[in-house]
């Protein structure tokens, strides 16, 4: 089975589709890509190994549950776009909670910068077949310091050009990988050679806590909330919903197709890049393409979140804290987390931080729904708020 040829050909085909002028200039697609690129980012590269190691053969159910939870939180954000976006639509209490939510989201961005650039370093060092965790921390620290320094002294506009094309590259590789896995799996199935590994079902309390600590894997849809200067509410609601549908299909399909390649044998150093070794049987083209997609994804996401953190801090402080010093604060927090926690602990802390933001968004959505007499929607979003608080309280780090 010429898997290398399929992977390269399919990736190029997706690139040809995604880089068409009509796609690049489509407002609907551009509004969809912003949240989609955040949702289907670094999480795609680590979801398979983490979930199969954590919950065994029910990994796809766990992934579907994460997507459903994120869709519920996304619904709350969409409710707020529609009913609470303008300041004159809010009560004083709602305005206060909204401001607190912005500060919490800025804090979540602090942690996610560490998350993204630790994965950036881990995947980048795989080019040199290196998995030393200390070296990963050193490289990620240098990357965080470089981005923070450029932001503090020159503004992150100097780095924005790096983001051009990275989304298309990442989605092209993911599309090519899914196509290859589908073709190879169908070929094995029709030739009675599927040979799925026998994995135990892990569904205890610890496993549930671990899965709930992985919400960050499907985070990113909230970016639509902050695109009001470019797109009207209807466009942002439609494209956020579409992005979550596409992301859920990609994640669940990948988890199902990945099972055949899960070995469970990679632990300790290099665990965060386990997908490279596990998918190696597909062919020699897998590693360089995955690394290229990872580097593109992590760098652009880190820059975007650094920008977001700086902007939110400046806005929340009513410009008392300028944007450029906020970049340095973000970098310092991210560097501290890099040296205090391992990547899986950072993932859980990032999940908690984003879920705290979703708890506030759910509270706002519930109050807005109840205020206009939509009792069922109010109850739904109140339940989402309670769920978010529970996740913050019980989530635990995963490991492979």
């Amino acid at each position: 089975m010429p898997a290398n040829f399929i992977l390269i050909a399919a990736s190029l085909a997706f690139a040809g589709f995604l880089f068409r002028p009509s796609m690049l200039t489509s407002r609907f697609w551009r509004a969809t890509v912003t949240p989609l690129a955040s949702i289907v980012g670094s999480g795609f590269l680590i979801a398979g190994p983490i979930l199969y190691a954590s919950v065994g053969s029910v990994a796809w159910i766990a992934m579907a549950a994460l997507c459903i939870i994120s869709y519920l939180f996304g619904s709350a954000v969409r409710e707020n776009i529609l009913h609470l976006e303008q300041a004159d639509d809010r009560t004083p209490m709602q305005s206060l909670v909204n401001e607190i939510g912005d500060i919490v989201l800025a804090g979540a961005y602090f942690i996610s910068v560490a998350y993204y650039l630790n994965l950036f370093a881990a995947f980048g060092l795989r080019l040199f077949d290196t998995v030393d965790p200390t070296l990963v921390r050193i490289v990620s620290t240098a990357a965080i310091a470089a981005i923070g320094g450029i932001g503090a002294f020159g503004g992150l506009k100097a780095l924005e050009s790096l983001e051009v094309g990275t989304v298309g590259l990442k989605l092209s590789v993911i599309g090519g990988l899914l196509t290859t896995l589908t073709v190879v799996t169908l070929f094995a199935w029709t030739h009675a050679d599927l040979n799925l590994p026998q994995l135990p079902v892990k569904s205890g309390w610890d496993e549930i806590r671990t899965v709930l600590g992985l919400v960050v894997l499907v985070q990113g849809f909230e970016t639509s909330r902050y695109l009001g200067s470019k797109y009207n509410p209807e466009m942002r609601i439609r494209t956020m919903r579409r992005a979550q549908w596409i992301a859920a299909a990609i994640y669940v399909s990948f988890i199902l197709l990945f099972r055949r390649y899960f070995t469970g044998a990679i632990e300790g150093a290099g665990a965060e890049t386990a997908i490279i070794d596990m998918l190696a049987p597909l062919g020699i083209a897998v590693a360089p393409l995955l690394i290229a997609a990872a580097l593109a994804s992590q760098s652009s996401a880190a820059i975007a979140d650094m920008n977001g953190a700086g902007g939110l801090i400046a806005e929340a402080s009513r410009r008392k804290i300028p944007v450029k010093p906020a970049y340095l604060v973000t970098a310092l927090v991210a560097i501290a987390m890099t040296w205090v926690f391992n990547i899986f602990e950072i993932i859980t802390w990032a999940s908690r931080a984003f879920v705290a933001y979703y708890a506030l968004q759910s509270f706002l959505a519930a109050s807005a729904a109840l205020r206009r007499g939509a009792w069922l929607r109010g109850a739904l979003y109140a339940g989402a708020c309670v769920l978010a608080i529970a996740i913050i309280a019980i989530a635990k780090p995963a490991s492979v």
Side-chain angles (χ1 to χ4, degrees):
M1 174 64 63
N4 281 312
F5 172 78
I6 296 171
L7 177 59
I8 294 171
S11 297
L12 290 174
F14 275 100
F17 177 77
L18 294 170
F19 284 97
R20 289 180 304 151
S22 59
M23 287 290 285
L24 295 175
T25 57
S26 167
R27 282 180 56 79
F28 188 86
W29 176 241
R30 291 174 73 87
T32 302
V33 159
T34 299
L36 180 61
S38 295
I39 304 168
V40 187
S42 47
F44 180 83
L45 299 170
I46 59 178
I50 285 181
L51 285 174
Y52 276 112
S54 300
V55 298
S57 60
V58 294
W60 72 273
I61 297 175
M63 189 73 251
L66 285 172
C67 291
I68 291 169
I69 290 171
S70 73
Y71 196 81
L72 175 60
F73 293 145
S75 178
V77 174
R78 290 190 286 275
E79 181 84 3
N80 294 333
I81 289 175
L82 190 60
H83 296 287
L84 288 179
E85 188 153 278
Q86 301 302 318
D88 54 7
D89 293 335
R90 306 179 199 136
T91 65
M93 181 272 294
Q94 289 171 332
S95 294
L96 176 62
V97 173
N98 187 70
E99 290 179 6
I100 293 172
D102 286 346
I103 295 171
V104 170
L105 183 60
Y109 284 154
F110 288 179
I111 305 169
S112 67
V113 169
Y115 164 47
Y116 289 134
L117 290 178
N118 272 264
L119 280 179
F120 173 90
F123 277 91
L125 287 171
R126 285 303 299 267
L127 288 169
F128 309 100
D129 201 27
T130 298
V131 295
D132 180 5
T134 301
L135 192 55
V136 169
R137 286 187 165 103
I138 291 171
V139 173
S140 61
T141 298
I144 294 167
I147 293 176
I150 292 173
F153 296 104
L156 281 178
K157 287 187 181 296
L159 289 176
E160 284 181 346
S161 59
L162 293 178
E163 295 187 70
V164 177
T166 56
V167 172
L169 170 62
K170 175 174 60 179
L171 293 179
S172 297
V173 173
I174 289 172
L177 181 60
L178 286 175
T179 301
T180 306
L181 287 170
T182 300
V183 172
V184 170
T185 300
L186 287 174
F187 182 87
W189 179 61
T190 56
H191 288 74
D193 189 32
L194 197 53
N195 296 326
L196 293 177
Q198 296 300 310
L199 301 174
V201 174
K202 302 178 184 178
S203 56
W205 176 239
D206 277 350
E207 285 74 25
I208 291 172
R209 292 177 60 210
T210 298
V211 171
L212 292 178
L214 297 174
V215 172
V216 74
L217 299 183
V218 286
Q219 163 273 329
F221 49 86
E222 74 284 341
T223 53
S224 295
R225 171 79 171 75
Y226 299 93
L227 297 177
S229 62
K230 296 181 180 179
Y231 308 105
N232 62 39
E234 181 185 7
M235 174 78 81
R236 283 179 287 143
I237 289 169
R238 288 176 60 207
T239 53
M240 190 210 292
R241 189 182 292 119
R242 182 71 57 86
Q244 288 197 283
W245 290 345
I246 295 171
I250 288 174
Y251 270 115
V252 175
S253 298
F254 175 70
I255 295 297
L256 286 168
L257 293 167
F258 178 73
R259 176 173 174 174
R260 185 173 176 228
Y261 299 90
F262 178 71
T263 64
I266 300 176
E267 299 177 353
E272 64 271 32
T273 58
I275 189 173
I276 294 175
D277 299 285
M278 292 181 182
L279 290 178
L282 279 176
I284 59 173
V286 169
L289 282 177
L290 283 179
I291 291 172
L295 297 181
S297 171
Q298 307 312 91
S299 58
S300 62
I303 292 166
D305 281 6
M306 184 82 76
N307 247 332
L312 282 171
I313 290 173
E315 183 179 329
S317 67
R318 295 179 173 82
R319 302 292 168 180
K320 292 179 182 178
I321 302 176
V323 173
K324 290 184 179 180
Y327 293 147
L328 276 182
V329 173
T330 304
L332 289 172
V333 173
I335 289 171
M337 294 205 73
T338 293
W339 288 94
V340 172
F341 302 109
N342 66 43
I343 183 61
F344 300 108
E345 291 170 324
I346 293 173
I347 288 171
T348 301
W349 278 106
S351 285
R352 285 195 179 106
F354 279 107
V355 171
Y357 172 75
Y358 299 148
L360 293 168
Q361 286 291 305
S362 298
F363 176 83
L364 285 173
S367 67
L370 294 173
R371 189 180 174 199
R372 66 177 192 278
W375 301 103
L376 287 178
R377 294 185 75 83
L380 175 67
Y381 297 133
C385 183
V386 172
L387 174 61
I389 293 170
I391 292 172
I392 295 168
I394 68 176
K396 62 174 284 189
S399 65
V400 296

